[in-house]
């Protein structure tokens, strides 16, 4: 198996999952958005994005959550629970994607990606709107985590990785989450996991 990645939000999660599970994948640094390489990646992912998981005899798999599910299924265990907890996990995966991470991603893009690749200044209106969204969903997550160690049940699951997608970039991207003590403590626990804290250790990131 090969896992194509880049050092960005969603690929970071996929790499962290693969390393946490000890998945037997070859990690391949990729730049599918580069005009020089875009067409060669289109057969693997028509969106020309990473992460992409390839396996012999199977169609290429793209989208972070699908890749996480596939790797979790191959690994076994409870990182992706298949009992009644799966419904709760999927709720958090969906909520994180459409609310918490979507707002955090605006800060990631405007404060980290735009200055690196574009000459235009940050879109302050977009940042203000994202801050308003985080002011709504941040307290929800913080309140939930006040009484839990992990989001689903009493152990780490993919829900924790997925909802925390933007937090490794919080300081550099000025994502306004430091006022939420339970979120910060939860992410500190995640950072004790080598695969989450530094998923690109030993891999090419430039």
């Amino acid at each position: 198996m090969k896992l194509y990645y880049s050092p960005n939000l969603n690929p970071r999660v996929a790499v962290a999952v693969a390393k946490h599970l000890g998945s037997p994948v070859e990690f391949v640094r990729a730049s599918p958005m580069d005009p020089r390489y875009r067409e060669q990646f289109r057969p693997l992912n028509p969106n020309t994005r990473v992460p992409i998981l390839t396996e012999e005899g199977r169609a290429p798999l793209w989208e972070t959550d699908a890749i996480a599910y596939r790797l979790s299924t191959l690994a076994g265990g409870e990182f992706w629970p298949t009992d009644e907890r799966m419904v709760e996990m999927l709720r958090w995966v969906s909520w994180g994607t459409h609310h918490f991470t979507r707002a955090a991603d605006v800060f990631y893009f405007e404060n980290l990606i735009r200055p690196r690749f574009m000459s235009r200044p940050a879109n302050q209106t977009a940042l203000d709107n994202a801050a308003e969204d985080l002011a709504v969903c941040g307290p929800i997550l913080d309140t939930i985590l006040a009484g839990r160690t992990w989001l689903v049940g009493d152990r780490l699951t993919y829900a924790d990785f997925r909802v925390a997608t933007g937090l490794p970039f919080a300081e550099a991207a000025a994502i306004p989450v430091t006022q939420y003590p339970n979120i910060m403590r939860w992410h500190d626990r995640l950072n004790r996991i080598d695969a989450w804290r530094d998923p690109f250790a030993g891999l090419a990131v430039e």
Side-chain angles (χ1 to χ4, degrees), residues 93-206:
V93 169
S94 178
W95 181 87
T97 300
H98 296 292
H99 298 283
F100 192 66
T101 299
R102 185 172 69 175
D105 183 46
V106 175
F107 286 87
Y108 172 78
F109 179 80
E110 296 296 337
N111 292 334
L112 293 182
I113 300 302
R114 187 188 288 275
R116 183 175 179 183
F117 296 105
M118 305 175 188
S119 59
R120 292 171 292 174
N123 184 330
Q124 191 58 49
T125 299
L127 288 169
D128 291 343
N129 290 339
E132 290 180 6
D133 290 340
L134 282 174
V136 173
C137 59
I140 293 172
L141 181 59
D142 197 63
T143 298
I144 290 291
L145 288 170
R148 304 184 189 185
T149 300
W150 304 111
L151 283 172
V152 178
D154 59 354
R155 64 186 61 201
L156 175 78
T157 69
Y158 177 63
D160 296 289
F161 276 26
R162 199 58 172 127
V163 175
T165 295
L167 294 182
F169 304 92
E171 182 176 359
I175 303 172
V177 291
T178 56
Q179 69 270 41
Y180 303 117
N182 298 314
I183 294 177
M184 293 295 96
R185 282 192 288 269
W186 168 65
H187 197 242
D188 284 343
R189 286 192 289 274
L190 280 169
N191 277 328
R192 295 172 196 153
I193 301 167
D194 291 342
W196 180 259
R197 183 181 63 255
D198 190 8
F200 300 119
L203 302 181
V205 292
E206 295 298 335

Side-chain angles (χ1 to χ4, degrees), residues 28-51:
V28 181
R29 174 70 168 92
S31 301
M33 292 297 289
D34 188 319
R36 295 173 297 174
Y37 309 121
R38 177 170 288 185
E39 290 311 310
Q40 77 181 59
F41 275 98
R42 201 173 297 280
L44 299 179
N45 180 356
N47 302 290
T48 62
R49 300 284 197 279
V50 288

Side-chain angles (χ1 to χ4, degrees), residues 11-65:
R12 184 189 189 280
V13 174
V15 172
V17 168
K19 286 204 168 182
H20 178 67
L21 295 174
S23 302
V25 302
E26 175 187 350
F27 295 98
V28 181
R29 174 70 168 92
S31 301
M33 292 297 289
D34 188 319
R36 295 173 297 174
Y37 309 121
R38 177 170 288 185
E39 290 311 310
Q40 77 181 59
F41 275 98
R42 201 173 297 280
L44 299 179
N45 180 356
N47 302 290
T48 62
R49 300 284 197 279
V50 288
I52 304 166
L53 181 69
T54 60
E55 296 179 67
E56 187 174 353
R58 296 177 65 95
L61 187 62
W62 34 275
E63 293 300 319
T64 301
D65 298 337

